[in-house]
Structure formats: structure tokens, C-alpha cells
Amino acid sequence: MWYVGAQSKPDPNPVVGNPATSPVSVVLISIDGLRPDAVTKLGANTLPHFFRLRREGAFTDNARSARDYTITLPNHTGMITGRLVTGPEGHNWTINRDTEFPPDITLHKQKGSYLDSVFAGAHDYGFRTALYASKSKFSLFDVSYNESNGAPDVIGADNGKDKIDVFQFKNRSENVVDQLERAMKRDVYDFVMLHIRNPDTAGHVFKWNTEIPSPYMASVRKVDELLGDVFEQIESNATWRGRTYLVVTADHGGATGEKQHKTIQNPENYTIPFYVWGPGIPAGADLYALNPETRKDPGSLNPELHEGIPPIRNAGAGNLCLDLLGVPAIPGSTVNSRQDLNVWPPIQQESQ
Ligand SMILES: [Zn+2]
């Protein structure tokens, strides 16, 4: 059973200088269990790379996880499918431990119909995709979009059923980022999703304690170093420099003084950051201010899917990434399905 104790899939095309297909590359970074107030509390001197995202990019500290689940795999499934969890429009994936996966399970089997994703969207348009994860359960995504379980590519040239070209898994985020750094030196992906687990791991063992110092806050400092490693690769390689977008968010936060993040009524669990950085993204902009008609700061609430003007959600990340790549929205998605999350300066938006 390949998904239990997952193995990484070797890079099938480790040739130096694999050319980019898209004019841009998009790196989606999910930081497991990251609370936005941990970042603001630690500040710019301690977290130079988080604050680079804030200074040079557009962001909010008040984005939302899914409505009914503030746990890891349902929220990451939301990011890649553009759906919330429950109901007929949801992706319906609620299992969080790979030890509890039914045999031969895929996202599609659980849903009862095929679930499209950001990987399929990018890959079917001929783009090179990768997933670098630091928890073994992410193999669910690799298995769901492999040669056997991915849908035929009916868009343009046939790029095959395996929608994730490279899947890498290591238990330590530092090792995952090392692998990605090595790949970035020799190669370029059009879309890559990177999962960093440190804040979640610290929170589960030592509680989501945002006092300084605490193991949780130390884990956020470590993530800042890893973001610095990614920035360094983007800037030191001509294949990435000047054409790469970062979309950085979290799956959920965590409850102060507790070792969990599953209580969906607790704002500390559903309040997450959302950063967008790259060429043309307005420096220091508030994402809600860039979207006055289509997104509404939810205050301390987490609205239902069709309840009023929606907040910015982690589940909108997949469709934003495809938008940046110039690819239409994920079929069947409901979050940012119009790809109307604006990340450009207002004046450029008018001229488009
Ligand atoms: Zn998580």
C-alpha cells in the first residue's frame, strides 16, 4: 500500500535546464498550522523573509480555512481542488491520518466522482508540476492524480494522466526544502506546491503558545529561514528570477494553550495568513482593499460558502495559481472559481 509510509517519486526528468513552458512559475507554499499573529508578533527583525512578503507583496492576516474542518488534509484538499469540504459542492475529503485511509482510496473514490485540481489544470495545459510535502499523507494527492487515477488530458496536446510530474516527501521540512532547492538549481517547474510542517509539529507537542520565546514561535523563525532559502533560489537562478510568483498560506492555525486545532468555532483555528508576491504584485497592499467588491473581511467570523460576500480563503489558492499561469479555473471549484481574487494594482486592473 504505497500511500502508507509514502515514498517519494524520483524526478522522471532530471535533465539540466528543463525549459519552462509557462512565462511564469508559481510556487504555492502551505505552512502547516501557521497563525498570522505569530508573524506580526515576532516582527520584521526576527522574520525578514515573511516581512519581505508583506513589504513587497499583497497580503492579509485575516484569510480563512475551510468552514467545517480546521485540520490538515481537508484544507489542503481544498487548496488543490478549489472547494470547501462538506456538501454537494465540497470535495468531501474528511480523513486526516493516512493510517485511516481505506484501501486503494483516492480523492475521486471518496467524492464519488472525479475531482479536478490545480495539478490537473496546470498539467493539462502542458505545464510541469511538482509537489514537495513534509507529511506522508500528501501521497493521497500523488495517487489521486497518477497514471491510473488521473483523468485523460483532453486539452490541447496529450500530456498524460499523471498530473504531478514530481512528488517528493520527507518528514523534515528542512529536507524537503533542500530537495526543492536542488531541483531549482537545475530545473524549473511551472507550478510547484511546497508544504512546510514545522509550526504544526511544534503546536501539537508544545501548544500554540505565541509568547516569546516558545517552541511554537521558534518554529515560525525556522520557517522564515526556509522561506529565505526559497527566495535565494529564485534570485540566484536565471530560470526563476523575475518570473516567479509565491502564494503563501496555511491550512489552519491553532488554539492558544492547547495541543490541537480542530475546534471549528475557535477563530484561532480558522484565521490564517495569505500572501502573494511576484512581478507586478503591488507592494504592501492589503488583499481585501484590492478586492472591495468581491471579498469581505469577515471580522472574527468564518462564513458559510454562500453566505454573503466571501472572505479570502486558502481554498482559493489553487484557482489563483492557475490564474497567474493563465489557465482557466478548476472545473467544479467553488472558491475563487471566477478567478476574481485581484492581486494587481487597481490601475492595472482597469487597463486590462
Ligand atoms: Zn495542518
Side-chain angles (χ1 to χ4, degrees):
M1 292 202 295
W2 128 280
Y3 44 83
V4 177
Q7 303 161 35
S8 297
K9 185 162 61 176
D11 186 335
N13 189 8
V15 179
V16 173
N18 198 57
T21 310
S22 167
V24 306
S25 284
V26 181
V27 182
L28 169 60
I29 303 178
S30 172
I31 303 168
D32 208 311
L34 177 66
R35 278 173 51 166
D37 58 337
V39 174
T40 50
K41 220 164 158 177
L42 283 163
N45 290 336
T46 309
L47 304 179
H49 305 294
F50 274 109
F51 275 77
R52 183 173 177 188
L53 290 173
R54 302 168 77 87
R55 198 175 61 248
E56 298 179 357
F59 69 97
T60 177
D61 290 324
N62 203 23
R64 288 291 175 268
S65 69
R67 178 71 179 75
D68 299 329
Y69 287 85
T70 52
I71 53 177
T72 302
L73 210 42
N75 272 277
H76 284 96
T77 303
M79 289 180 209
I80 70 162
T81 62
R83 297 171 184 250
L84 297 187
V85 184
T86 56
E89 296 170 295
H91 57 67
N92 301 165
W93 183 271
T94 59
I95 307 168
N96 202 32
R97 293 172 192 269
D98 47 9
T99 50
E100 294 169 8
F101 288 5
D104 302 321
I105 195 67
T106 66
L107 290 174
H108 324 299
K109 271 187 195 156
Q110 186 76 2
K111 173 69 179 168
S113 58
Y114 190 79
L115 272 174
D116 263 298
S117 72
V118 61
F119 295 108
H123 199 268
D124 289 354
Y125 276 80
F127 296 150
R128 202 148 176 277
T129 61
L131 171 60
Y132 285 73
S134 57
K135 286 181 174 174
S136 57
K137 53 191 166 188
F138 280 76
S139 62
L140 170 69
F141 299 161
D142 189 45
V143 168
S144 294
Y145 299 102
N146 68 12
E147 268 309 330
S148 307
N149 298 316
D153 174 7
V154 295
I155 296 165
D158 184 3
N159 302 107
K161 293 168 73 175
D162 184 357
K163 313 297 185 191
I164 302 177
D165 292 310
V166 174
F167 171 59
Q168 297 284 3
F169 154 70
K170 297 274 182 200
N171 253 319
R172 289 184 75 238
S173 301
E174 292 84 335
N175 295 344
V176 174
V177 173
D178 278 351
Q179 281 188 314
L180 178 59
E181 285 181 87
R182 282 201 294 276
M184 288 176 77
K185 283 183 205 302
R186 64 164 194 256
D187 212 347
V188 60
Y189 302 120
D190 301 296
F191 174 72
V192 53
M193 181 176 189
L194 167 65
H195 165 254
I196 295 174
R197 69 179 292 170
N198 303 45
D200 185 69
T201 302
H204 279 294
V205 178
F206 300 105
K207 305 177 181 178
W208 267 263
N209 178 359
T210 59
E211 284 168 32
I212 304 170
S214 73
Y216 178 72
M217 295 302 251
S219 78
V220 178
R221 292 181 71 154
K222 172 50 78 175
V223 175
D224 194 75
E225 289 174 24
L226 298 177
L227 288 178
D229 292 341
V230 174
F231 270 126
E232 191 185 328
Q233 290 311 315
I234 290 171
E235 290 178 325
S236 58
N237 292 289
T239 46
W240 294 86
R241 187 169 53 236
R243 53 175 293 283
T244 299
Y245 289 89
L246 296 177
V247 176
V248 181
T249 187
D251 52 349
H252 52 73
T256 300
E258 296 182 36
K259 292 182 177 178
Q260 59 87 16
H261 49 77
K262 62 181 186 295
T263 308
I264 64 167
Q265 296 83 5
N266 185 346
E268 291 177 341
N269 293 335
Y270 59 64
T271 303
I272 52 168
F274 199 106
Y275 304 97
V276 188
W277 176 94
I281 305 294
D286 177 326
L287 278 172
Y288 284 106
L290 293 179
N291 292 273
E293 312 287 331
T294 61
R295 299 295 186 283
K296 185 169 176 235
D297 188 318
S300 61
L301 304 175
N302 192 4
E304 303 276 2
L305 176 58
H306 297 297
E307 188 184 341
I309 300 173
I312 292 164
R313 289 194 186 277
N314 57 7
N319 277 329
L320 170 61
C321 292
L322 291 184
D323 191 21
L324 292 167
L325 287 164
V327 171
I330 302 159
S333 62
T334 58
V335 181
N336 197 22
S337 55
R338 293 179 183 158
Q339 294 180 309
D340 59 357
L341 178 63
N342 175 50
V343 298
W344 308 111
I347 193 162
Q348 182 175 344
Q349 189 188 15
E350 282 164 21
S351 66
Q352 275 176 348

